[in-house]
Structures are given as structure tokens and as C-alpha cells.
Amino acid sequence: MTAERRGHRPAIGAVLTRPDVAALVEEHGHAAVVEAVRTVVAELGTRGDLMGPDAGSVVAGRAIALLRRQPRRLHRVINGTGIVIHTNLGRAPLGAEIASRAVEVAAGYSNLELDGLSGRRGDRQDLLSDLLCRLGGAEAAMVVNNGAAALLLALTALCRGQEVVVSRGELIEIGGGFRIPDILRLSGARLVEVGTTNRTRVSDYVAAWGPRTGAFLRVHQSNFKISGFVARPPLKELAGAAHEHGVSLLEDVGSGLVPPGLPAVAAEDRLSASLAAGVDLLCCSGDKLVGGSQAGIVLGRAAMVTRMRRHPLARALRPDKLQLAVLEETVLRYAIPGRLREIPVWRMLQLSPRELEARARTWVGALAHSGVAAQVVAMEGAVGGGTTPGRTLPSFGILLEDSHPARLRRYLLGVEPPVLGLEREDGVAIDARCVLPGEDDLLLSAIRAACGAVP
Ligand SMILES: *Cc1c(COP(=O)(O)O)cnc(C)c1O
């Protein structure tokens, strides 16, 4: 770089004092504006062609554009994948009714830990326990930060220093490094593996039983399916064997279906089915099939839940007021059939292929108006969240044909709001099931922008 050119390179300080740039500080904060100006200046430094006496205004213009373009770090994404409980997309969407009620509570002070009668300190775990017990017909309930925390707390509080018997077919990894053997080790319980990958019988558990056994643990095989020569004891038989030998049966249900039943999910995945079969304590996620906030829901015998509530780890894993408010609003709707559709996960799982096809048709029509070619296609979605491996949800969506599908998929992610579609050989498909009510126009304008069409 020549000395003359260096001389034209705009000083960051000078750019920051320009009124148009200074005005940005109010909206974005000083640090973000400095960062944007630095980024633009650094870019110019590598591209000498943009240097000159006007560099200051060029930099300002670009920094302004950069900041305006920048969405919030956490922002809306349109889910065109047809996967209802999509872990990368925040799992269960909360829906407007539930979210606004929860925000109302969280926006102000609340009775999170206030005993309403005495005005003294209360226990946040008392707030929802009766409601949650009703989900599965349990004696007692508690809520922690997420499903993984629920299992860790259960094993730590109930089985530390004892042996826990688990089938080799259930020593799973859920994702994000959550592995059952690791969680057991972390809890201070000792894992005793029984059976084989594909077949485990009740007699295997019983043979492993001894004076140090604390519990039998059953884990939902969330995200994989083995078929063929397989055997897994019915829950009821396993519970019978556990109780005969004086130990408890714990279950990590994973997703946890609440009544009423859904065709896409096996009835034995219902929380009530587990407790009725004799499970002493179960844990599940709040933001999978329950359709609520991130949370770990624990249902089970009162004495066991009490031990968990009193364990010091409970404090480290407790839920916050927003999680509890969302969970309350969600769970309340299970008791009112007419309001179940306000739980987005439920509404989406109930949508029929015919409804989805009709919606896809209106999209194709609207896109054709602005010169974007799309066609209605039959698709296969999924419940997701490790709920029903191997099962699909028959669905409909639209196909945006393109000879560079990977590029179109990237373009769709680059517009506002980003759209996550499914890349196929012949283009990108967008499943209609998980595009939320009210998102139709946003989706269409995002597609138009990505396809470079006139809005
Ligand atoms: C999802 C899942 C978990 C973890 O629950 P989080 O709420 O994600 O922490 C644990 N066990 C099983 C079987 C699961 O499917």
C-alpha cells in the first residue's frame, strides 16, 4: 500500500463522529457500531479500489447497511422441513396465546416463591405440581431445567452409590454428548449392563439384581430403531420384577405423550401408560411432545420426588419463571379439548394431508402471480425430537425447482426471515405443516426474495 493511499484510509474515530453513524449508537449500542465500522474499514483495507477522499461516507454507508441487515442473534426462522419438534429450530414453538400469557407473568414481579397465605417464602415446585400430576396420574411432580437435568437429578438423588441396571439396547446417545453411561457415572451410580443390543429379557434384569441394586432404569430408544430379531420386556413385567426384588423402576421417557392419543405416536409412549404399568418415577422433556417450554418434568412416587426436591443439585437445575409460566399455560390446555389447538405442536400434528395440500396450492398460486414457479408435492414429515423414529407424517408442500438446490437452500436461509427447506435433487421443498398460521405472507415474500423475483 502506498503512503498516499494509506493517507485516505478513513480513521475510525472520524467515521464515528459523523451524525448518521452517531445516530446508530442509540439503536445498536456503541460497541456494535464500532465493530461494524472496523469491519468495513478492514474490508476496504484489503480492497484498495474503494479508497479515496470519499472513503468516510463510503464507510459510513456500508456500516449503516451492515447494522440494519443484522438481525437479532436469536430470531425467527420459518420451518419448512415438516419436522414438528425440530431441535435446531428451538423445538416446540409456544404459540401466540401461550407465549403472551407467559410474557405477562415474566414482565413483572410474580409469586414465583411467595406463599400466598403467609406472605413468606414459598417453593416454586409447589406451583404446578397438582397440574403436572394430572398429566399422567402421578402422586407427585417436579420441574427442572430440562429432560437431561431431570434424569441426572433422579439418578443422583435416588441411586448414588448404588447399582442401576440398564439394558444394553438402551445405552443411548441422545445428541449434544448426552450419553446414558456418562450420566450414570456423573450421578455416582454404577451402571450394570444387561442383555444384548437387540434382545433383553426381564430375566436379565433379575439375574443382575443384588444387594447393591438401587433401581432398574428404562430409557426410551429415542432416535433410532432396531428391527428384526428384537425383544424388550413389557414395562409392566419389568415393574413387577423390580418391585418383587424391592427396587424401583425409573424411566427416561424422553418425549412424553399426554392424552389424547395421536395417530403418529404409539399409545405406549403416553406418560399415563408408564405410570399405570408401574413405573415409580419418570422424566421427560417439556418442549417435545408436551409442546411447552424447555423443562424436565418428573412424575412419580411422593417419597422419591421429595428426595429429589431436597437434594442440593435441585437448586442448580431449577426452572425459571418463564419456563414455569409457559408450562402452566400449556398443561392447562390439556384439560380443555377446545383449547388444545392453541398448543402449536398438537395443532401441527393434527393437520391432515388434505389441509396441507390446500395450503400448498394457495402458495403456488400466489407465487405464480409474481413469476416464481413452484409446484405442489407430496412430502413426508416427522414428529422429530427423538419421539417416533422410523415413522413419518404424510404431508404436502411446495417444490421450488432449481438445478443448484444447495445454492437455493442457502439463499432461502439468507433472506428475512430465513426459511429452512429440504434440499432435494431437483430443488428445494417446503413442507406446509410447520409453517405457522400467519407466516404465509412472510414465507412467500422470503421465497420471492430468495428467487430474485419482483415482490
Ligand atoms: C430428549 C431426551 C432427553 C433429553 O431431554 P432434554 O429436555 O433435551 O434435556 C433425555 N432422554 C431421552 C430419551 C430423550 O429423548
Side-chain angles (χ1 to χ4, degrees), residues 91 145-149 151 172 174 178 180 219-223 252-255 283-288 294-296 385-387:
R91 289 203 184 147
N145 183 56
N146 60 12
L151 183 62
I172 58 169
I174 286 136
F178 182 84
I180 296 295
V219 183
H220 192 274
Q221 292 166 315
S222 284
N223 44 15
D252 177 7
V253 179
S255 197
C283 34
C284 77
S285 286
D287 56 356
K288 292 183 182 170
Q294 175 186 298
T387 47

Side-chain angles (χ1 to χ4, degrees), residues 150-160 164 183-184 187 189 217 250:
L151 183 62
L152 175 64
L153 179 60
L155 292 170
T156 309
L158 307 173
C159 305
R160 188 177 190 82
V164 174
I183 294 297
L184 267 154
S187 74
L217 171 65
L250 312 181

Side-chain angles (χ1 to χ4, degrees), residues 79-164:
N79 179 2
T81 65
I83 300 166
V84 177
I85 303 165
H86 199 302
T87 296
N88 299 7
L89 301 181
R91 289 203 184 147
L94 304 180
E97 292 87 357
I98 291 175
S100 68
R101 169 75 187 114
V103 163
E104 210 176 284
V105 169
Y109 293 109
S110 61
N111 63 333
L112 183 64
E113 293 204 340
L114 180 75
D115 180 72
L117 291 177
S118 66
R120 297 223 172 93
R121 180 160 185 174
D123 187 337
R124 68 183 69 196
Q125 292 296 347
D126 290 334
L127 291 169
L128 306 192
S129 64
D130 61 330
L131 265 182
L132 294 172
C133 283
R134 269 182 245 151
L135 286 184
E139 269 176 39
M142 85 177 282
V143 183
V144 290
N145 183 56
N146 60 12
L151 183 62
L152 175 64
L153 179 60
L155 292 170
T156 309
L158 307 173
C159 305
R160 188 177 190 82
Q162 295 177 314
E163 291 176 353
V164 174

